[in-house]
Amino acid sequence: SAQLPPMRVTMRNLSTSVRRQQLNSDVRITRTGKPILTVSGGRSSLGGYTATVFGATGFLGRYVVNRLARSGCTVVVPFREEMAKRHLKVAGDLGRVVFLEMDLRNTASIEESVRHSDIVYNLIGRDYPTKNFDLEDVHVEGTERIVEAVAKYDIDRFIQVSSHSAQLDSPSEFYRTKARGEQVARSIYPETTVVRPAPMYGYEDRLLHRLASPANIITSNHLQERIRPVHVIDVATALERMLHDDTTAAETYELYGPTDYSMAEINELVEKEAMTSRRHVNIPRRIAKPIAYYANKFLWWPIHSADEVEREFIDQIIDKNAKTFKDLDIEPVELKSLTFEYLKGYRSSSYYDLPPMSEKEKREEKKYLHVID
Ligand code: NDP
């Protein structure tokens, strides 16, 4: 029995060293042959890739940064507005999410943001022109500056997030400039991976929440446009998967949901989940476009733009040659399965099931003020 304690210690040492060997053995080689050593441990992993995410402060950016940072990547977040980026800090371990101030016209700040990275994502986009940036500035010139910096510092991978229906001859300026952005990116950095997401939904979306908002629904096409909405987390998962799969370089991906809906059908789903119906006002295009144009020019908060009115008349175009979720082994989730999750907050409080009143409460006419659980 005197021999037992040293024996136990030996077994424990053995298992620790085996575990340590497994942890250390994870070496990945990037497309250009750079070894990336990772010591796995979830968000506290050591080593790993360094990724820059332009447009991280937006809707999709939140989920992309979250997925990268929680797997131990160092994420560089170029930002414009102090308050817009704060929620991203906690996505990763201490020091893993690095903020750098950036301006789309300041080349030095863009170069600073990309130069230490193994992969750069460009998620920057705007649905409407703003006071200082029109759509061309954001989608074409901005992309050009970013890709030039990526090429200059010989970054391994560049992923450009474009848009569904991006076509050079589209009647919508948004789709046209997105297509030109893809072209510019590929001309400077031919291995650019182009990702065209369908309209995305999630907690901060501008699809379900616009239809569910208490304001009237104002449209020009009687909610007749057809789209294939996609879950934002599916798109973020696809973007993360591209980091680990170098065969995705130079490819084009169209990421859309499994079902084709008209906006009227989506509106029906929204009304059913929110248990309410909104007033729908249809303004013809020839009147809505000039109103939206001037409103967008003179009001300083985001408002429906003339180009968004035009986009209502364009059904989502699917490029048959592009790769899809299937090529990334991802099964996109069905919109119907998530509408309750995203829209339950719009239900009126009168729909909560209150427990039946007891006889005593009825006698005393006691009213429930609140119900816990
Ligand atoms: P958001 O509008 O939520 O975010 C856009 C991001 O781009 C923000 O981080 C914003 O920064 C940044 N940005 C915009 N203009 C500028 C500028 N002039 N200079 C610097 N940064 C700028 O977009 P989403 O997350 O919804 O979409 C991500 C990408 O996917 C975009 O390119 C979008 O066009 C595209 N897309 C989105 C769809 C959708 O349904 N949401 C559908 C199809 C394509 P800041 O916070 O500082 O304003």
Side-chain angles (χ1 to χ4, degrees), residues 91-175:
D93 213 350
L94 198 60
R96 283 295 159 148
V97 182
V98 182
F99 297 113
L100 283 174
E101 197 167 350
M102 185 269 322
D103 186 282
L104 210 47
R105 294 199 174 100
N106 183 335
T107 311
S109 71
I110 294 176
E111 290 183 356
E112 190 61 32
S113 306
V114 306
R115 57 193 278 216
H116 299 290
S117 291
D118 304 305
I119 183 165
V120 172
Y121 292 92
N122 181 20
L123 273 50
I124 289 181
R126 260 292 167 264
D127 280 335
Y128 47 87
T130 56
K131 190 162 51 132
N132 294 316
F133 294 90
D134 60 23
L135 298 182
E136 174 92 11
D137 293 337
V138 178
H139 300 145
V140 187
E141 284 178 26
T143 302
E144 188 173 359
R145 279 197 200 98
I146 292 172
V147 191
E148 270 170 359
V150 167
K152 181 172 169 186
Y153 287 95
D154 208 9
I155 310 298
D156 260 13
R157 297 286 310 275
F158 177 65
I159 298 182
Q160 167 74 3
V161 176
S162 179
S163 169
H164 65 92
S165 316
Q167 291 196 322
L168 291 168
D169 55 355
S170 173
S172 151
E173 191 189 353
F174 177 85
Y175 295 141

Coordinates of all heavy atoms in Angstrom, one line a residue, residues 91-175:
A91 N -17.3 40.1 -26.8 CA -17.4 38.9 -27.6 C -16.2 38.0 -27.4 O -16.4 36.8 -27.6 CB -17.6 39.3 -29.1
G92 N -15.1 38.5 -27.1 CA -13.9 37.7 -27.0 C -13.2 37.9 -25.6 O -13.7 38.7 -24.8
D93 N -12.2 37.1 -25.4 CA -11.4 37.1 -24.2 C -10.7 38.5 -24.1 O -10.6 39.2 -25.1 CB -10.4 36.0 -24.2 CG -10.2 35.5 -22.8 OD1 -10.7 36.1 -21.8 OD2 -9.6 34.4 -22.6
L94 N -10.1 38.7 -22.9 CA -9.4 40.0 -22.7 C -8.3 40.2 -23.8 O -7.5 39.4 -24.0 CB -8.8 40.0 -21.3 CG -8.4 41.3 -20.7 CD1 -9.6 42.2 -20.6 CD2 -7.7 41.1 -19.4
G95 N -8.4 41.3 -24.5 CA -7.4 41.7 -25.4 C -7.6 41.1 -26.8 O -6.8 41.3 -27.7
R96 N -8.6 40.3 -27.0 CA -8.9 39.6 -28.2 C -9.6 40.5 -29.2 O -9.5 40.2 -30.4 CB -9.7 38.3 -28.0 CG -8.8 37.2 -27.4 CD -7.8 36.8 -28.5 NE -6.7 36.2 -27.9 CZ -6.0 35.2 -28.5 NH1 -6.4 34.9 -29.8 NH2 -5.0 34.7 -28.0
V97 N -10.4 41.4 -28.8 CA -11.1 42.3 -29.7 C -10.4 43.7 -29.6 O -10.4 44.3 -28.5 CB -12.6 42.4 -29.3 CG1 -13.3 43.3 -30.3 CG2 -13.2 41.0 -29.3
V98 N -9.8 44.0 -30.7 CA -9.0 45.2 -30.7 C -9.7 46.3 -31.6 O -10.0 46.1 -32.7 CB -7.6 44.9 -31.4 CG1 -6.7 46.1 -31.3 CG2 -7.0 43.7 -30.6
F99 N -9.9 47.5 -31.0 CA -10.5 48.6 -31.7 C -9.5 49.5 -32.3 O -8.6 49.9 -31.7 CB -11.5 49.3 -30.8 CG -12.6 48.4 -30.3 CD1 -12.7 48.1 -28.9 CD2 -13.6 47.9 -31.1 CE1 -13.7 47.3 -28.4 CE2 -14.6 47.1 -30.6 CZ -14.6 46.8 -29.3
L100 N -9.8 49.9 -33.6 CA -8.9 51.0 -34.2 C -9.8 52.0 -34.9 O -10.8 51.6 -35.6 CB -8.0 50.3 -35.3 CG -6.8 49.5 -34.8 CD1 -6.1 48.9 -36.0 CD2 -5.8 50.5 -34.1
E101 N -9.6 53.2 -34.7 CA -10.4 54.3 -35.3 C -10.1 54.3 -36.8 O -8.9 54.3 -37.2 CB -10.2 55.6 -34.7 CG -11.3 56.6 -35.0 CD -11.3 57.8 -34.1 OE1 -10.6 57.9 -33.2 OE2 -12.1 58.7 -34.5
M102 N -11.1 54.4 -37.6 CA -10.9 54.3 -39.1 C -11.8 55.3 -39.8 O -12.9 55.5 -39.3 CB -11.2 52.9 -39.5 CG -10.9 52.5 -40.9 SD -12.3 52.6 -42.1 CE -13.7 52.1 -41.3
D103 N -11.4 55.8 -40.9 CA -12.3 56.6 -41.8 C -12.1 56.0 -43.2 O -11.0 55.7 -43.6 CB -11.9 58.0 -41.8 CG -12.9 58.9 -42.5 OD1 -12.9 58.9 -43.8 OD2 -13.8 59.5 -41.9
L104 N -13.2 55.8 -43.9 CA -13.2 55.2 -45.2 C -12.3 56.0 -46.2 O -12.0 55.5 -47.3 CB -14.6 55.0 -45.7 CG -14.8 53.8 -46.6 CD1 -14.2 52.5 -46.1 CD2 -16.3 53.6 -46.8
R105 N -12.1 57.3 -45.9 CA -11.3 58.1 -46.8 C -9.9 58.3 -46.3 O -9.1 59.0 -47.0 CB -11.9 59.5 -47.0 CG -13.2 59.4 -47.8 CD -13.7 60.7 -48.3 NE -14.8 60.6 -49.1 CZ -16.1 60.9 -48.7 NH1 -16.2 61.3 -47.5 NH2 -17.1 60.7 -49.5
N106 N -9.5 57.7 -45.2 CA -8.2 57.8 -44.6 C -7.4 56.5 -44.8 O -7.6 55.6 -44.1 CB -8.4 58.1 -43.1 CG -7.0 58.4 -42.4 OD1 -6.0 57.9 -42.9 ND2 -7.1 59.1 -41.3
T107 N -6.6 56.5 -45.9 CA -5.9 55.3 -46.3 C -5.0 54.8 -45.2 O -5.0 53.6 -45.0 CB -5.1 55.6 -47.6 OG1 -6.0 56.2 -48.5 CG2 -4.6 54.3 -48.2
A108 N -4.4 55.7 -44.5 CA -3.4 55.2 -43.4 C -4.2 54.5 -42.4 O -3.7 53.4 -41.9 CB -2.8 56.5 -42.8
S109 N -5.4 54.9 -42.0 CA -6.2 54.2 -41.0 C -6.6 52.8 -41.5 O -6.7 51.9 -40.7 CB -7.4 55.0 -40.5 OG -8.4 55.1 -41.5
I110 N -6.9 52.7 -42.8 CA -7.3 51.4 -43.3 C -6.1 50.5 -43.3 O -6.2 49.3 -42.9 CB -7.9 51.6 -44.8 CG1 -9.2 52.4 -44.7 CG2 -8.1 50.3 -45.4 CD1 -9.8 52.8 -46.0
E111 N -5.0 51.0 -43.7 CA -3.8 50.1 -43.7 C -3.4 49.7 -42.3 O -3.1 48.5 -42.1 CB -2.6 50.9 -44.4 CG -2.8 51.1 -45.9 CD -1.7 51.8 -46.6 OE1 -0.7 52.2 -45.9 OE2 -1.7 51.9 -47.8
E112 N -3.5 50.6 -41.4 CA -3.3 50.2 -40.0 C -4.2 49.1 -39.5 O -3.8 48.2 -38.8 CB -3.5 51.5 -39.1 CG -3.0 51.4 -37.7 CD -1.5 51.1 -37.6 OE1 -0.7 51.6 -38.4 OE2 -1.2 50.5 -36.6
S113 N -5.4 49.1 -40.0 CA -6.4 48.1 -39.6 C -6.1 46.7 -40.2 O -6.6 45.7 -39.6 CB -7.8 48.5 -40.0 OG -8.1 49.8 -39.5
V114 N -5.5 46.6 -41.4 CA -5.4 45.3 -42.0 C -4.0 44.7 -41.9 O -3.9 43.5 -42.1 CB -5.8 45.4 -43.5 CG1 -7.1 46.0 -43.7 CG2 -4.7 46.1 -44.3
R115 N -3.0 45.5 -41.6 CA -1.6 45.0 -41.8 C -1.2 43.8 -41.0 O -0.3 43.1 -41.3 CB -0.6 46.2 -41.7 CG -0.7 46.9 -40.4 CD 0.1 48.1 -40.5 NE 1.5 47.8 -40.3 CZ 2.4 48.6 -39.7 NH1 1.9 49.8 -39.2 NH2 3.6 48.3 -39.5
H116 N -1.9 43.6 -39.8 CA -1.4 42.4 -39.0 C -2.3 41.2 -39.2 O -2.2 40.2 -38.5 CB -1.4 42.8 -37.5 CG -0.5 44.0 -37.2 ND1 0.9 43.8 -37.3 CD2 -0.7 45.3 -36.9 CE1 1.5 45.0 -37.0 NE2 0.5 45.9 -36.8
S117 N -3.3 41.3 -40.1 CA -4.3 40.3 -40.2 C -4.0 39.1 -41.2 O -3.2 39.3 -42.1 CB -5.6 40.9 -40.6 OG -6.1 41.7 -39.5
D118 N -4.6 38.0 -41.0 CA -4.6 36.9 -41.9 C -5.7 36.9 -42.8 O -5.7 36.3 -43.9 CB -4.6 35.5 -41.1 CG -3.5 35.5 -40.1 OD1 -2.3 35.7 -40.5 OD2 -3.7 35.3 -38.9
I119 N -6.8 37.5 -42.4 CA -8.0 37.6 -43.2 C -8.7 38.9 -43.0 O -8.7 39.4 -41.8 CB -9.0 36.4 -42.9 CG1 -10.2 36.4 -43.8 CG2 -9.4 36.4 -41.4 CD1 -11.0 35.1 -43.8
V120 N -9.3 39.5 -44.0 CA -10.0 40.7 -43.9 C -11.4 40.5 -44.5 O -11.6 40.0 -45.6 CB -9.3 41.9 -44.7 CG1 -10.2 43.1 -44.7 CG2 -8.0 42.2 -44.0
Y121 N -12.4 40.9 -43.7 CA -13.8 40.9 -44.1 C -14.3 42.3 -44.4 O -14.0 43.2 -43.5 CB -14.7 40.3 -43.0 CG -14.5 38.9 -42.7 CD1 -13.7 38.4 -41.7 CD2 -15.3 37.9 -43.3 CE1 -13.5 37.1 -41.4 CE2 -15.1 36.5 -43.0 CZ -14.3 36.2 -42.0 OH -14.1 34.8 -41.7
N122 N -14.9 42.6 -45.5 CA -15.5 43.9 -45.7 C -17.0 43.8 -45.7 O -17.7 43.3 -46.6 CB -15.0 44.5 -47.0 CG -15.6 45.9 -47.2 OD1 -16.1 46.5 -46.3 ND2 -15.6 46.3 -48.4
L123 N -17.6 44.2 -44.6 CA -19.1 44.2 -44.4 C -19.7 45.5 -44.6 O -20.9 45.7 -44.3 CB -19.4 43.7 -43.0 CG -19.5 42.2 -42.7 CD1 -18.3 41.4 -43.2 CD2 -19.7 42.0 -41.2
I124 N -18.9 46.5 -44.9 CA -19.4 47.9 -45.0 C -20.4 48.0 -46.1 O -20.2 47.6 -47.2 CB -18.2 48.9 -45.2 CG1 -17.4 49.0 -43.9 CG2 -18.7 50.3 -45.6 CD1 -16.2 49.9 -44.0
G125 N -21.5 48.7 -45.8 CA -22.6 48.9 -46.8 C -23.6 49.9 -46.2 O -23.7 50.0 -45.0
R126 N -24.3 50.5 -47.1 CA -25.3 51.4 -46.7 C -26.5 51.3 -47.7 O -26.3 51.2 -48.9 CB -24.9 52.9 -46.7 CG -24.5 53.5 -45.4 CD -25.6 53.7 -44.5 NE -25.1 54.0 -43.1 CZ -24.9 53.1 -42.2 NH1 -25.3 51.8 -42.3 NH2 -24.5 53.5 -41.0
D127 N -27.7 51.3 -47.1 CA -28.9 51.1 -47.9 C -29.3 52.4 -48.6 O -30.1 52.4 -49.6 CB -30.1 50.7 -47.0 CG -30.1 49.2 -46.7 OD1 -29.5 48.5 -47.6 OD2 -30.6 48.8 -45.7
Y128 N -28.8 53.6 -48.1 CA -29.3 54.9 -48.5 C -28.1 55.8 -48.5 O -27.1 55.6 -47.8 CB -30.3 55.4 -47.6 CG -30.0 55.3 -46.1 CD1 -29.2 56.3 -45.5 CD2 -30.3 54.2 -45.4 CE1 -28.8 56.2 -44.2 CE2 -29.9 54.0 -44.1 CZ -29.1 55.0 -43.5 OH -28.7 54.9 -42.2
P129 N -28.1 56.8 -49.4 CA -26.9 57.8 -49.4 C -27.0 58.6 -48.2 O -28.1 59.0 -47.7 CB -27.2 58.6 -50.7 CG -28.6 58.4 -51.1 CD -29.1 57.1 -50.5
T130 N -25.9 59.0 -47.6 CA -25.8 59.9 -46.4 C -25.2 61.2 -46.8 O -24.8 61.4 -48.0 CB -25.0 59.2 -45.3 OG1 -23.7 58.9 -45.8 CG2 -25.7 58.0 -44.8
K131 N -25.1 62.2 -45.9 CA -24.7 63.5 -46.2 C -23.2 63.5 -46.8 O -22.9 64.2 -47.7 CB -24.7 64.3 -44.9 CG -24.5 65.8 -45.0 CD -24.9 66.5 -43.8 CE -24.3 65.9 -42.6 NZ -23.7 66.5 -41.5
N132 N -22.4 62.6 -46.2 CA -21.0 62.6 -46.6 C -20.6 61.5 -47.5 O -19.5 61.5 -48.1 CB -20.1 62.6 -45.4 CG -20.2 63.8 -44.5 OD1 -20.2 64.9 -45.1 ND2 -20.4 63.6 -43.2
F133 N -21.4 60.5 -47.6 CA -21.1 59.3 -48.5 C -22.3 58.9 -49.3 O -23.3 58.6 -48.8 CB -20.7 58.1 -47.6 CG -19.5 58.3 -46.8 CD1 -19.5 58.8 -45.5 CD2 -18.2 57.9 -47.3 CE1 -18.4 59.0 -44.8 CE2 -17.1 58.1 -46.5 CZ -17.1 58.6 -45.3
D134 N -22.1 59.0 -50.7 CA -23.2 58.4 -51.5 C -22.9 56.9 -51.6 O -21.8 56.4 -51.2 CB -23.4 59.1 -52.8 CG -22.2 59.1 -53.7 OD1 -21.3 58.2 -53.5 OD2 -22.0 60.0 -54.5
L135 N -23.8 56.2 -52.3 CA -23.6 54.7 -52.4 C -22.3 54.3 -53.1 O -21.7 53.3 -52.8 CB -24.8 54.1 -53.1 CG -26.1 54.3 -52.4 CD1 -27.3 53.6 -53.1 CD2 -26.1 53.8 -51.0
E136 N -21.9 55.1 -54.1 CA -20.7 54.9 -54.9 C -19.5 55.0 -53.9 O -18.6 54.2 -54.0 CB -20.6 55.9 -56.0 CG -19.4 56.0 -56.8 CD -19.5 55.1 -58.1 OE1 -20.6 54.7 -58.4 OE2 -18.4 54.9 -58.7
D137 N -19.5 56.0 -53.1 CA -18.4 56.2 -52.1 C -18.2 55.0 -51.2 O -17.1 54.6 -50.9 CB -18.6 57.4 -51.2 CG -18.6 58.7 -52.0 OD1 -18.0 58.8 -53.1 OD2 -19.2 59.7 -51.5
V138 N -19.3 54.5 -50.7 CA -19.3 53.4 -49.8 C -18.9 52.1 -50.4 O -18.0 51.4 -50.0 CB -20.6 53.3 -49.0 CG1 -20.6 52.1 -48.0 CG2 -20.9 54.5 -48.3
H139 N -19.7 51.8 -51.5 CA -19.6 50.4 -52.1 C -18.4 50.2 -53.1 O -17.9 49.1 -53.3 CB -20.9 50.0 -52.7 CG -22.0 50.0 -51.8 ND1 -23.3 50.3 -52.1 CD2 -22.1 49.7 -50.5 CE1 -24.1 50.2 -51.1 NE2 -23.4 49.8 -50.1
V140 N -18.0 51.3 -53.8 CA -17.0 51.2 -54.8 C -15.7 51.8 -54.3 O -14.7 51.0 -54.1 CB -17.4 51.8 -56.1 CG1 -16.4 51.5 -57.2 CG2 -18.8 51.3 -56.5
E141 N -15.7 53.1 -54.0 CA -14.4 53.7 -53.6 C -13.9 53.2 -52.3 O -12.7 52.9 -52.1 CB -14.6 55.2 -53.5 CG -14.6 55.8 -54.9 CD -14.8 57.3 -54.8 OE1 -14.5 58.0 -53.8 OE2 -15.4 57.9 -55.8
G142 N -14.8 53.0 -51.3 CA -14.5 52.4 -50.0 C -13.9 51.0 -50.2 O -12.8 50.7 -49.6
T143 N -14.5 50.2 -51.0 CA -14.0 48.8 -51.2 C -12.6 48.9 -51.9 O -11.7 48.2 -51.5 CB -15.0 48.1 -52.1 OG1 -16.3 48.1 -51.5 CG2 -14.5 46.7 -52.4
E144 N -12.5 49.8 -52.8 CA -11.2 49.9 -53.5 C -10.1 50.2 -52.5 O -9.0 49.6 -52.6 CB -11.3 51.0 -54.6 CG -10.1 51.1 -55.5 CD -10.3 52.1 -56.6 OE1 -11.4 52.7 -56.7 OE2 -9.4 52.2 -57.4
R145 N -10.3 51.2 -51.6 CA -9.3 51.5 -50.7 C -8.9 50.3 -49.8 O -7.8 50.1 -49.5 CB -9.7 52.7 -49.8 CG -9.5 54.0 -50.5 CD -9.5 55.2 -49.6 NE -9.8 56.3 -50.5 CZ -11.0 56.8 -50.7 NH1 -12.0 56.4 -50.0 NH2 -11.2 57.8 -51.6
I146 N -10.0 49.6 -49.3 CA -9.7 48.5 -48.5 C -8.9 47.4 -49.2 O -7.9 46.9 -48.7 CB -11.0 47.9 -47.9 CG1 -11.6 49.0 -46.9 CG2 -10.8 46.6 -47.2 CD1 -13.0 48.7 -46.4
V147 N -9.4 47.1 -50.4 CA -8.7 46.0 -51.2 C -7.3 46.4 -51.5 O -6.4 45.5 -51.5 CB -9.5 45.7 -52.5 CG1 -8.9 44.4 -53.1 CG2 -10.9 45.5 -52.2
E148 N -7.0 47.7 -51.8 CA -5.7 48.1 -52.1 C -4.8 47.9 -50.9 O -3.6 47.4 -51.0 CB -5.6 49.6 -52.5 CG -5.8 49.7 -54.0 CD -6.0 51.1 -54.5 OE1 -6.1 52.0 -53.7 OE2 -6.2 51.3 -55.7
A149 N -5.3 48.2 -49.7 CA -4.5 47.9 -48.5 C -4.3 46.4 -48.3 O -3.2 46.0 -47.9 CB -5.2 48.5 -47.3
V150 N -5.3 45.6 -48.6 CA -5.2 44.2 -48.4 C -4.1 43.6 -49.4 O -3.3 42.8 -49.0 CB -6.6 43.5 -48.8 CG1 -6.4 42.0 -48.9 CG2 -7.5 43.8 -47.6
A151 N -4.1 44.1 -50.6 CA -3.1 43.7 -51.6 C -1.7 44.2 -51.2 O -0.7 43.4 -51.3 CB -3.5 44.2 -53.0
K152 N -1.6 45.4 -50.7 CA -0.3 46.0 -50.4 C 0.3 45.2 -49.3 O 1.5 45.0 -49.3 CB -0.6 47.4 -49.9 CG 0.7 48.2 -49.5 CD 0.4 49.6 -49.3 CE 1.7 50.3 -48.6 NZ 1.4 51.7 -48.3
Y153 N -0.4 44.8 -48.3 CA 0.2 44.0 -47.1 C 0.1 42.5 -47.3 O 0.3 41.8 -46.4 CB -0.5 44.5 -45.8 CG 0.0 45.9 -45.4 CD1 -0.7 47.0 -45.8 CD2 1.2 46.0 -44.8 CE1 -0.3 48.2 -45.5 CE2 1.7 47.3 -44.5 CZ 0.9 48.4 -44.9 OH 1.4 49.7 -44.6
D154 N -0.3 42.1 -48.6 CA -0.3 40.7 -48.9 C -1.0 39.8 -47.9 O -0.5 38.8 -47.4 CB 1.2 40.2 -49.0 CG 1.3 39.1 -49.9 OD1 0.4 38.8 -50.7 OD2 2.4 38.5 -50.0
I155 N -2.3 40.3 -47.6 CA -3.1 39.5 -46.7 C -3.6 38.3 -47.3 O -3.9 38.2 -48.5 CB -4.3 40.4 -46.2 CG1 -3.9 41.8 -45.8 CG2 -5.1 39.7 -45.2 CD1 -3.0 41.9 -44.6
D156 N -3.6 37.2 -46.6 CA -4.0 35.9 -47.1 C -5.3 35.8 -47.8 O -5.5 35.2 -48.8 CB -4.0 34.8 -46.0 CG -2.7 34.1 -46.0 OD1 -1.8 34.5 -46.7 OD2 -2.6 33.1 -45.2
R157 N -6.3 36.3 -47.1 CA -7.7 36.1 -47.6 C -8.5 37.4 -47.5 O -8.3 38.2 -46.6 CB -8.5 35.1 -46.7 CG -7.9 33.7 -46.7 CD -8.2 33.0 -48.0 NE -9.6 33.0 -48.4 CZ -10.6 32.2 -48.0 NH1 -10.3 31.2 -47.2 NH2 -11.8 32.4 -48.4
F158 N -9.3 37.7 -48.5 CA -10.2 38.8 -48.4 C -11.6 38.4 -48.8 O -11.8 37.7 -49.8 CB -9.7 39.9 -49.4 CG -10.7 41.1 -49.5 CD1 -10.8 41.9 -48.4 CD2 -11.4 41.4 -50.6 CE1 -11.7 43.0 -48.4 CE2 -12.3 42.5 -50.6 CZ -12.4 43.3 -49.5
I159 N -12.6 38.8 -47.9 CA -14.0 38.4 -48.2 C -14.8 39.6 -48.3 O -14.8 40.5 -47.4 CB -14.5 37.4 -47.0 CG1 -13.6 36.2 -47.1 CG2 -15.9 37.1 -47.2 CD1 -14.0 35.1 -46.1
Q160 N -15.4 39.8 -49.4 CA -16.2 41.0 -49.7 C -17.7 40.6 -49.6 O -18.2 39.8 -50.3 CB -15.9 41.5 -51.1 CG -16.8 42.5 -51.7 CD -16.6 43.9 -51.1 OE1 -15.8 44.1 -50.3 NE2 -17.5 44.8 -51.5
V161 N -18.4 41.3 -48.7 CA -19.8 41.0 -48.5 C -20.6 42.0 -49.4 O -20.5 43.2 -49.3 CB -20.3 41.2 -47.1 CG1 -21.8 41.0 -47.0 CG2 -19.6 40.1 -46.2
S162 N -21.2 41.5 -50.5 CA -21.9 42.3 -51.5 C -23.4 42.2 -51.2 O -23.8 42.4 -50.0 CB -21.5 41.7 -52.8 OG -22.2 42.4 -53.9
S163 N -24.2 42.0 -52.1 CA -25.6 41.8 -51.9 C -26.3 40.9 -52.9 O -25.7 40.8 -54.0 CB -26.3 43.2 -52.0 OG -27.7 43.0 -52.0
H164 N -27.4 40.3 -52.5 CA -28.2 39.5 -53.5 C -28.5 40.5 -54.6 O -28.6 41.7 -54.4 CB -29.4 39.0 -52.8 CG -30.4 40.1 -52.4 ND1 -31.4 40.5 -53.1 CD2 -30.4 40.8 -51.2 CE1 -32.0 41.5 -52.5 NE2 -31.5 41.6 -51.3
S165 N -28.8 40.0 -55.8 CA -29.3 40.8 -57.0 C -28.2 41.8 -57.4 O -28.6 42.7 -58.2 CB -30.6 41.5 -56.7 OG -31.5 40.6 -56.0
A166 N -27.0 41.7 -57.0 CA -26.0 42.7 -57.4 C -25.7 42.5 -58.9 O -25.2 41.5 -59.3 CB -24.7 42.5 -56.6
Q167 N -26.1 43.5 -59.7 CA -25.9 43.4 -61.1 C -25.5 44.7 -61.7 O -26.1 45.8 -61.3 CB -27.2 42.9 -61.8 CG -27.6 41.5 -61.5 CD -28.6 40.9 -62.4 OE1 -29.5 41.5 -62.8 NE2 -28.4 39.6 -62.7
L168 N -24.6 44.7 -62.7 CA -24.1 46.0 -63.2 C -25.2 46.8 -63.9 O -25.1 48.0 -64.0 CB -22.9 45.7 -64.2 CG -21.7 45.1 -63.5 CD1 -20.7 44.6 -64.5 CD2 -21.0 46.2 -62.6
D169 N -26.2 46.1 -64.4 CA -27.2 46.9 -65.2 C -28.5 47.0 -64.4 O -29.6 47.2 -65.0 CB -27.5 46.2 -66.5 CG -27.8 44.8 -66.4 OD1 -27.8 44.3 -65.2 OD2 -28.2 44.1 -67.4
S170 N -28.5 46.8 -63.1 CA -29.7 46.9 -62.3 C -30.3 48.3 -62.3 O -29.6 49.3 -62.3 CB -29.4 46.5 -60.9 OG -30.5 46.6 -60.0
P171 N -31.6 48.4 -62.2 CA -32.2 49.8 -62.1 C -31.9 50.4 -60.8 O -32.1 51.6 -60.6 CB -33.7 49.5 -62.3 CG -33.9 48.1 -62.4 CD -32.6 47.4 -62.4
S172 N -31.5 49.6 -59.8 CA -31.2 50.1 -58.4 C -29.8 50.5 -58.3 O -28.9 49.7 -58.6 CB -31.6 49.1 -57.4 OG -30.8 49.2 -56.3
E173 N -29.5 51.7 -57.8 CA -28.1 52.2 -57.7 C -27.4 51.3 -56.6 O -26.2 51.0 -56.7 CB -28.1 53.6 -57.2 CG -26.7 54.2 -57.3 CD -26.6 55.6 -56.7 OE1 -27.7 56.2 -56.3 OE2 -25.5 56.1 -56.6
F174 N -28.1 50.8 -55.6 CA -27.5 50.0 -54.5 C -27.0 48.7 -55.2 O -25.8 48.4 -55.0 CB -28.6 49.7 -53.5 CG -28.1 48.8 -52.4 CD1 -27.4 49.3 -51.3 CD2 -28.3 47.4 -52.5 CE1 -27.0 48.4 -50.3 CE2 -27.9 46.5 -51.4 CZ -27.2 47.1 -50.3
Y175 N -27.8 48.0 -55.9 CA -27.3 46.8 -56.6 C -26.2 47.0 -57.6 O -25.3 46.2 -57.7 CB -28.5 46.0 -57.2 CG -29.6 45.6 -56.3 CD1 -30.9 45.6 -56.6 CD2 -29.2 45.0 -55.0 CE1 -31.9 45.2 -55.8 CE2 -30.2 44.6 -54.2 CZ -31.6 44.7 -54.5 OH -32.5 44.3 -53.7

